[in-house]
């Protein structure tokens, strides 16, 4: 959340600098902008200098329109979402299946500077590491598959385990997209859980429905 707040400040500050530059390029004064937008010229000045802490997207869009610009706003994959209570319970059910010799951590960041992604859980055994992702309400199998493959590539792990709850919604989801997911998560559930219960390397990636 701290990183997201700082990113918001940087983006707002950059937008305010662009607005001031555009105003000066068009030989407009803060009074001209204020009159057009029915703002005080001091509000225009505070926005330009990044001194208005409660500036809204609507404010920036209106200011942009007044200087001949159009504000664009998009979201991109970045940090991990907050974990819901269902995920926490799901991970705890999985944790109880592990041998005491397997070490683990929750919310373990990927080993790339500046990367905000994290494994929901990271398992460590003798000469192996396994990333664990818990999903309580999966919807888009292709997007999930892509996200897991990118995290496997960047996360320096040997295997990935996708943990899902045993619900009607999940069973329907796997009926539709399970074949796609199992191309990269081919392991059998019983074999994987037996290996982990014995403290052994799971040896492959898998989907586990608990």
């Amino acid at each position: 959340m701290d990183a997201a707040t700082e990113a918001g400040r940087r983006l707002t500050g950059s937008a305010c600098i662009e607005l001031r530059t555009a105003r000066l390029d068009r030989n407009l004064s803060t009074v001209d902008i204020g009159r057009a937008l029915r703002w005080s010229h001091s509000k225009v000045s505070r926005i330009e200098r990044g001194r208005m802490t409660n500036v809204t997207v609507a404010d920036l869009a209106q200011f942009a329109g007044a200087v001949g610009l159009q504000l664009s706003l998009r979201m991109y994959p970045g940090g991990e979402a907050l974990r819901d209570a269902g995920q926490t319970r799901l991970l705890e059910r999985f944790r109880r299946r592990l041998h005491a010799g397997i070490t683990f951590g929750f919310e373990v960041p990927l080993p790339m500077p500046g990367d905000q992604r994290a494994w929901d859980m990271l398992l460590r055994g003798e000469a192996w590491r396994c990333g664990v992702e818990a999903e309580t309400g999966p919807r888009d199998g292709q997007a999930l598959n892509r996200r897991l493959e990118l995290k496997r590539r960047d996360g320096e792990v040997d295997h990935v385990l996708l943990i899902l709850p045993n619900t009607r919604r999940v069973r329907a989801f796997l009926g539709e997209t399970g074949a796609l997911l199992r191309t990269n998560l081919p392991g059998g559930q019983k074999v994987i859980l037996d290996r982990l219960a014995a403290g052994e390397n799971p040896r492959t990636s898998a989907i586990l429905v608990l």
Side-chain angles (χ1 to χ4, degrees):
M1 293 301 100
D2 289 341
T5 299
E6 181 57 31
R9 291 196 188 102
R10 288 198 307 271
L11 289 169
T12 302
S14 177
C16 291
I17 291 170
E18 285 190 61
L19 291 172
R20 183 175 187 277
T21 300
R23 177 181 67 77
L24 294 174
D25 285 346
R26 288 155 179 79
N27 198 30
L28 295 169
S29 68
T30 56
V31 174
D32 294 328
I33 301 299
R35 186 179 298 119
L37 299 178
R38 298 180 181 177
W39 296 349
S40 67
H41 74 89
S42 62
K43 176 178 177 177
V44 177
S45 180
R46 290 199 308 275
I47 289 176
E48 287 187 344
R49 290 179 290 139
R51 299 291 177 84
M52 186 170 168
T53 57
N54 60 342
V55 63
T56 67
V57 172
D59 288 335
L60 297 176
Q62 290 172 355
F63 198 145
V67 294
L69 299 176
Q70 182 175 354
L71 179 68
S72 176
L73 179 66
R74 288 195 62 188
M75 304 292 177
Y76 296 91
E80 297 301 312
L82 295 174
R83 185 190 300 161
D84 61 34
Q87 280 180 298
T88 301
R89 290 192 296 270
L90 183 58
L91 287 166
E92 179 58 24
R93 288 203 299 274
F94 173 68
R95 185 197 63 79
R96 292 197 294 266
R97 302 283 194 115
L98 302 177
H99 187 275
I102 296 176
T103 60
F104 62 87
F106 294 106
E107 294 295 329
V108 179
L110 268 62
M112 297 179 66
D115 197 322
Q116 297 181 41
R117 294 173 296 169
W119 293 110
D120 289 337
M121 194 173 182
L122 182 67
L123 311 183
R124 298 182 181 88
E126 186 176 347
W128 59 269
R129 288 161 50 96
C130 182
V132 178
E133 289 290 282
E135 295 283 337
T136 55
R139 294 177 180 274
D140 187 333
Q142 289 186 338
L144 177 58
N145 192 49
R146 192 162 51 245
R147 176 160 58 84
L148 291 177
E149 280 306 290
L150 289 173
K151 291 185 77 168
R152 185 213 301 263
R153 182 196 69 187
D154 300 332
E156 295 182 1
V157 296
D158 301 290
H159 315 296
V160 173
L161 299 178
L162 173 61
I163 314 297
L164 302 172
N166 188 7
T167 63
R168 179 182 300 176
R169 177 176 171 181
V170 166
R171 290 192 294 271
F173 170 77
L174 290 176
E176 296 174 359
T177 63
L180 170 66
L181 291 170
R182 288 189 177 93
T183 58
N184 294 315
L185 304 165
Q189 175 161 319
K190 185 178 185 308
V191 172
I192 297 296
L193 290 176
D194 286 348
R195 287 172 181 165
L196 292 173
E200 298 176 2
N201 186 339
R203 303 180 200 170
T204 189
S205 300
I207 300 170
L208 305 179
V209 181
L210 304 178

